[in-house]
């Protein structure tokens, strides 16, 4: 029996090729993901291994923020790590060295005034030379370290990107004014920020403290242990001398390394999990192809299997022979997938390096676990997918099978299948509807479970759905394409199980693609509405790194030529009637020129009278209306009674509560300034934009964005996320295409006699090709159509669970894109049918009619 199984594999190698490819692609995705994540993780660990090589103990002041607003409130947060602290720690018995470190955000402009690198990876620090005048952390490859307020040093990569040489003038900035300084040195470093593509600017100690923190303050202190003193012993000594307060953290160098390793492993594991999820989708699609292939092979070999039963083969032997075929295919395909996966892992590593030259790289890591998991998954998926067809083969009755080449499903089995599918689909839809109705995150688990049940239920019901749905296009096919069109429709509905299995692969892909597209359009629409519905300002000025602006920036912008009105957009967190709320501050005198607020009661003019405005959600939750009184609890724990001056529609960019800046500064003198809104005398213009940029001193870390720029920024983020998802789903779509090709090719082989008879009674070669191609297009569009409907429904449900966190969210159906997906599915069907149609048209008429 096993020799027979092996001969069957070799005899049907052409028909099994697509199945092998489906397994190969799925396992290659799995192997590639594991190789890439292991390689990338090792490269990151190696890159960061030297980060704390000179650290025995590190003390960090978490209150030493780099935000300009935080620095302006320094009188409320007195310096904790100072020169005195450094001296005390240096005097410890186990301390060999003590170094104060200043660290914070610093952007570097190139010669065109554009920020070099990404704002989130722009760092500034102090140059701390020893007795020899050098800082061992930053060895100079050219020039020397900075010594005065007008001198800086840059890392080698940043200097190269900016085209700077020693002696050039460089413009740098934190969140305050721009500093023009002379480049005195270029250094090399293994700092992780630089290794990941960031920038590092060094100042002398006093300048770094002035720009990044405050005079005399350090963000951290690094201690080196004397020989014979352990890190833990030095930590115990240091803890006795540390200032009081819960903002001080002290850890040993080993603890810091361990924390960093855990962070890297966590990030790598998250990336691996996401990629493996998409690999799982590809394998799930492959299951339909494998099961469909073996089902058709069993049907085509009915007489052969019946003969084996007649001469004494048991049901178990027949089952095992089919599973043995699957085992051979799974093993060979998984091994090939492993090799391909190693290539994919190498390709991904090269791609990451090409996209970001700062990312660490290293030799490929192929762990034994990767090999084992890839082979086991490939074999298991193939064998389990073939299990049901194998069991079906064992039930073929020897005598009955001799007179029939096809064993249709019994009426009982169809009734049971449809009943199970209906129950699962109905239960899934009910759970989805319930989850969507909650309007918050509580509904996400019911939606996820309901989506799974609904998908499974619809897959089970696809044979039932295929007949009426495909029947609808029958008149169209007949009218447009004549006899080949009518035959294509009949072929598509003749075996609904086969049609459903073929369409299911495309259904999965289109469900995910269309669902993501609808979600992207809906979220993008909500964000765009939040920005545009409440904004009358021409420009929004903010920090590129997302941090707060200095209070000097709004004043400078207000004086810029062409500005009609401007206001800082501030944020404070105070308690309103006992609950902490985000309160947005705006200048009352320019409010109407900058913001278009839809009031449901009261007036925005009440801001100028010291009153508060609340959105409809806050008003409803607290039972408020215009004229109501609320209690505000200020940062100093005092309270005050404030009258509600109006209620506005929720969902805009201003948040739930608005108060005049003049009232906010009475209780919080230096509130967080996120942006500045600006209205021009002549509207938005390049002249006004440049005027605002000049007002900031052409600061490279401050962005001047129009409303369209804001829209584009959100749109690009969503588009990037969608494109990444589309790319990851591409593998499953390719596997689905292979399934269509495989099914059609085997269907052509199965219908040799029928095709021969059609040729004999006058249907020419082009008619045969057209029939096969139309059948493929019909099945593909049917599967895609079901997928699009499911995707839209699930996106609607997910939107329902996001309404509480994203005000104004409604489901937006991008009809153009959805129709494009259906059209592309038709093209996929047409392309997939190219080889099967060509093969069918070249069949010899007499040989086909004589087919047994």
């Amino acid at each position: 029996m096993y020799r027979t199984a092996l001969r069957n594999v070799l005899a049907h190698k052409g028909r099994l090729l697509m199945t092998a490819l489906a397994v190969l692609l799925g396992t290659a995705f799995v192997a590639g993901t594991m190789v890439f994540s292991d390689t990338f993780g090792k490269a990151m660990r190696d890159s960061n291994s030297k980060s704390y090589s000179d650290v025995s103990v590190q003390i960090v002041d978490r209150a030493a923020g780099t935000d300009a607003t935080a620095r302006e409130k320094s009188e409320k947060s007195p310096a904790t790590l100072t020169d005195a602290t450094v001296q005390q720690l240096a005097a410890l018995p186990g301390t060999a060295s003590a170094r104060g470190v200043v660290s914070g955000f610093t952007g570097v402009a190139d010669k065109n005034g554009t920020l070099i690198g990404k704002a989130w990876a722009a760092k500034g620090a102090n140059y701390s030379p020893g007795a020899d005048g050098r800082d061992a952390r930053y060895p100079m490859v050219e020039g020397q370290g900075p010594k005065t307020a007008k001198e800086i040093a840059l890392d080698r990569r940043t200097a190269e990107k900016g085209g700077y040489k020693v002696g050039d003038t460089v413009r740098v900035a934190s969140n305050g004014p721009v500093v023009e300084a002379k480049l005195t040195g270029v250094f090399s470093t293994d700092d992780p920020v630089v290794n990941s593509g960031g920038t590092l600017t060094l100042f002398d100690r006093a300048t770094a403290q002035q720009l990044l923190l405050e005079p005399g303050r350090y963000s951290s202190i690094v201690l080196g242990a004397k020989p014979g003193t352990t890190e833990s012993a030095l930590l115990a000594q240091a803890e006795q001398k540390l200032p009081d307060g819960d903002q001080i953290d002290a850890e040993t160098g080993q603890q810091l390394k361990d924390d960093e390793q855990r962070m890297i492993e966590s990030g790598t594991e998250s990336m691996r999990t996401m990629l493996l999820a998409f690999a799982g989708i590809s394998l799930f699609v492959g299951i339909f192809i494998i099961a469909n292939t073996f089902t058709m092979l069993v049907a085509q070999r009915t007489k052969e299997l019946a003969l084996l039963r007649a001469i004494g083969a048991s049901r178990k032997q027949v089952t095992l022979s089919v599973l043995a075929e699957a085992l051979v295919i799974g093993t060979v395909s998984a091994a090939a997938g492993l090799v391909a996966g190693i290539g994919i892992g190498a390709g991904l590593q090269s791609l990451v390096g090409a996209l970001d030259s700062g990312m660490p790289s290293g030799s490929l890591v192929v762990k034994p676990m990767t090999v084992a998991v890839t082979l086991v998954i490939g074999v298991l998926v193939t064998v389990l997918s073939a299990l049901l067809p194998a069991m079906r083969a064992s039930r073929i009755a020897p005598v009955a099978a001799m007179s029939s080449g096809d064993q249709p499903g019994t009426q009982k089995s169809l009734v049971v299948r449809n009943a199970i599918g209906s129950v699962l689909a109905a239960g899934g839809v009910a759970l989805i509807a319930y989850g969507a109705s909650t309007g918050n995150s509580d509904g996400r688990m019911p939606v996820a479970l309901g989506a799974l049940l609904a998908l499974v239920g619809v897959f089970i019901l696809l044979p039932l759905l295929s007949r009426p749905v495909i029947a609808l296009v029958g008149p169209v096919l007949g009218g447009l394409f004549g006899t080949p069109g009518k035959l294509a429709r009949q072929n598509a509905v003749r075996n609904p199980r086969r049609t459903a299995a073929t369409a299911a692969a495309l259904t999965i892909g289109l469900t995910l693609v269309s669902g993501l597209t609808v979600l992207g359009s809906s979220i993008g629409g909500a964000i765009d509405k939040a920005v545009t519905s409440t904004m009358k300002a021409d420009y929004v000025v903010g920090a590129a790194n997302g941090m707060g602006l200095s209070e000097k920036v709004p004043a400078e912008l207000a004086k810029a030529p062409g500005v009609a009105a401007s206001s800082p957009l501030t944020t404070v967190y105070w308690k309103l009637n006992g609950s902490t709320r985000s309160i947005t501050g705006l200048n009352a005198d320019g409010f109407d020129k900058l913001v278009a607020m839809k009031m449901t009661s009261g007036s925005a003019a009440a801001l100028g009278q010291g009153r508060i405005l609340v959105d409809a959600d806050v008003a409803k939750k607290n039972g408020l209306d215009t004229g109501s009184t609320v209690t505000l609890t200020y940062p100093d724990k005092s309270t005050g009674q404030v009258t509600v001056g109006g209620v506005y529609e929720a969902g805009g960019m201003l948040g739930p509560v608005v108060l005049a800046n003049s009232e906010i500064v009475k209780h919080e003198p230096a509130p967080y300034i996120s942006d500045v809104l600006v209205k021009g005398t002549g509207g938005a213009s390049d002249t006004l934009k440049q005027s605002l940029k000049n007002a900031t001193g052409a600061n490279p870390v401050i962005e001047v964005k129009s409303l369209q720029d804001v829209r584009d920024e959100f749109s690009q983020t969503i588009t990037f996320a969608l494109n990444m998802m589309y790319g990851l789903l591409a593998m499953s779509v390719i596997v689905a295409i292979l399934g269509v090709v495989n099914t059609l090719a085997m269907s052509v082989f199965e219908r040799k006699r029928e095709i021969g008879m059609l040729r004999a009674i006058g249907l020419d070669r082009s008619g045969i090709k057209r029939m096969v191609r139309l059948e493929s297009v019909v099945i593909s569009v049917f599967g895609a159509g079901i997928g699009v409907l499911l995707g839209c429904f699930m996106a609607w449900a997910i939107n329902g669970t996001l309404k509480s966190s994203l005000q104004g969210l409604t489901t937006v159906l991008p009809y153009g894109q959805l129709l494009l997906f259906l059209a592309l599915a038709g093209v996929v069907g047409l392309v997939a049918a190219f080889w099967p149609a060509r093969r069918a048209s070249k069949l010899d008429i007499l040989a086909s009619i004589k087919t047994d």
Side-chain angles (χ1 to χ4, degrees), residues 67 69 175 531 535 537 539-551 553-555 557 566-571 584-587 594 653-654 661 671-678 701-706 710 713-714:
D67 191 334
T69 304
N175 287 57
V531 172
M535 284 281 289
Y539 290 100
V540 179
V541 182
N545 62 345
M547 298 178 69
L549 295 170
S550 166
E551 66 175 7
V553 173
L557 292 173
S566 68
S567 170
L569 197 64
T570 63
T571 304
T584 302
L586 279 162
N587 292 348
L594 300 169
M653 65 170 288
L654 295 181
N661 278 326
Y672 176 83
I673 303 174
S674 60
D675 299 287
V676 179
L677 305 183
V678 178
V701 302
I702 294 181
E703 296 179 328
V704 180
K705 295 180 287 188
S706 66
V710 176
E713 191 174 87
F714 284 117

Side-chain angles (χ1 to χ4, degrees), residues 334-411:
L338 175 62
V339 175
I342 294 173
I344 290 174
L348 287 173
Q349 183 77 349
S350 299
L351 178 62
V352 169
L355 293 175
D356 190 341
S357 59
M359 296 304 290
S361 60
S363 58
L364 282 180
V365 177
V366 183
K367 294 183 178 179
M369 178 63 72
T370 300
V371 176
V373 168
T374 303
L375 295 177
V376 169
I377 286 178
V379 171
L380 279 180
V381 165
T382 310
V383 172
L384 292 177
S385 301
L387 182 59
L388 190 58
M391 294 173 63
R392 218 177 266 144
S394 69
R395 295 193 183 103
I396 296 175
V399 176
M402 291 294 185
S403 60
S404 175
D406 191 15
Q407 299 298 309
T410 63
Q411 187 66 29

Side-chain angles (χ1 to χ4, degrees), residues 506 773 776-778 780-781 784 820-832:
L506 281 171
R773 289 170 182 166
S776 176
V777 170
V778 167
S780 298
V781 174
L820 177 62
F821 293 154
L822 292 176
L824 289 175
V827 173
V828 164
L830 196 61
V831 172

Side-chain angles (χ1 to χ4, degrees), residues 146-396:
K147 297 180 180 179
T148 70
K150 291 296 182 179
E151 294 180 347
I152 63 165
L154 293 175
D155 68 272
R156 180 161 45 189
R157 290 183 180 179
T158 302
E160 290 173 353
K161 290 177 183 177
Y164 290 119
K165 297 180 180 179
V166 171
D168 289 347
T169 298
V170 183
R171 302 176 76 253
V172 298
S174 179
N175 287 57
V178 175
V179 174
E180 291 190 350
K182 179 182 178 181
L183 180 64
T184 61
V186 176
F187 60 90
S188 62
T189 178
D190 55 13
D191 190 292
V193 171
V194 177
N195 290 339
S196 61
T199 63
L200 178 58
T201 306
L202 296 181
F203 305 91
D204 69 279
R205 179 185 57 79
T207 304
Q209 290 177 330
Q210 179 66 39
L211 292 176
L212 306 180
L213 295 174
E214 62 182 90
R217 187 172 190 175
Y218 295 102
S219 52
S220 63
I221 297 174
V222 173
L223 303 182
K226 288 181 178 179
T229 302
T230 64
E231 292 184 349
S232 56
L234 181 57
L235 175 63
Q237 294 176 21
E239 287 177 336
Q240 302 299 318
K241 299 293 184 180
L242 294 181
D244 295 331
D246 57 1
Q247 297 296 320
I248 303 297
D249 290 332
E251 291 183 283
T252 64
Q254 188 58 50
Q255 288 174 323
L256 293 168
K257 291 176 184 177
D258 293 342
D259 290 344
E260 189 167 80
Q261 294 298 321
R262 282 192 292 270
M263 183 177 66
I264 292 172
E265 288 173 5
S266 176
T268 305
E269 190 62 32
S270 298
M271 176 183 64
R272 182 204 293 257
T273 301
M274 183 188 71
L275 292 175
L276 284 177
F278 285 93
I281 293 170
S282 298
L283 286 170
F284 185 59
V285 173
I287 288 173
F288 290 90
I289 298 172
I290 299 166
N292 200 23
T293 300
F294 277 92
T295 298
M296 296 179 71
L297 284 175
V298 167
Q300 291 171 10
R301 288 161 44 201
T302 297
K303 291 186 178 182
E304 174 190 329
L305 295 172
L307 179 59
L308 290 173
R309 290 294 313 283
I311 62 176
S314 66
R315 286 189 172 188
K316 181 179 180 181
Q317 286 178 312
V318 172
T319 301
L320 291 177
S321 70
V322 176
L323 292 179
E325 293 180 46
L327 179 63
V328 172
I329 295 168
T331 303
V332 174
S333 302
L338 175 62
V339 175
I342 294 173
I344 290 174
L348 287 173
Q349 183 77 349
S350 299
L351 178 62
V352 169
L355 293 175
D356 190 341
S357 59
M359 296 304 290
S361 60
S363 58
L364 282 180
V365 177
V366 183
K367 294 183 178 179
M369 178 63 72
T370 300
V371 176
V373 168
T374 303
L375 295 177
V376 169
I377 286 178
V379 171
L380 279 180
V381 165
T382 310
V383 172
L384 292 177
S385 301
L387 182 59
L388 190 58
M391 294 173 63
R392 218 177 266 144
S394 69
R395 295 193 183 103
I396 296 175

Side-chain angles (χ1 to χ4, degrees), residues 9 18 89 117 185 187 330 393 436 451 494 497 525 531 562 570 578 585 624 654 671 694 730 781 829:
V9 172
M18 297 301 173
L89 295 172
F187 60 90
R494 177 191 299 177
R497 290 191 181 190
V531 172
T570 63
L624 303 176
L654 295 181
N694 292 340
V781 174

